[in-house]
Amino acid sequence: YCVVMASAITHSGAEHLINKLSKEGFTNASKHMDNGMLRVVLTGYHSKEAARAALAIVRATDNLYSGSWIKHF
């Protein structure tokens, strides 16, 4: 499972967001190509419950992340 932070983002926008997330402590942010769409995701959650807990933390960090969601790859 992962937490999707942004979808349909440019490569430069993705790099900017990954750097921002890293500064905020989310060091597991990366780019992921999914069906031709570039996404910025937080990876490494082995269960939906773990991803849900991470999502709650993400959403509490910044209103910018209120649209984040969980995806299973």
Side-chain angles (χ1 to χ4, degrees):
Y1 292 89
C2 69
V3 176
V4 178
M5 302 300 293
S7 293
I9 191 169
T10 65
H11 284 279
S12 62
E15 290 298 328
H16 177 76
L17 180 55
I18 289 168
N19 287 333
K20 181 180 185 316
L21 288 164
S22 181
K23 289 176 185 174
E24 294 172 339
F26 301 104
T27 58
N28 59 333
S30 63
K31 293 187 280 186
H32 181 77
M33 191 62 81
D34 181 31
N35 292 326
M37 183 180 301
L38 183 62
R39 301 179 194 271
V40 173
V41 297
L42 302 179
T43 61
Y45 305 106
H46 300 293
S47 69
K48 193 170 190 175
E49 293 75 25
R52 256 193 223 125
L55 180 62
I57 293 168
V58 163
R59 286 182 174 170
T61 301
D62 191 322
N63 283 339
L64 175 67
Y65 308 141
S66 64
S68 300
W69 48 283
I70 297 170
K71 181 166 177 71
H72 186 250
F73 287 113

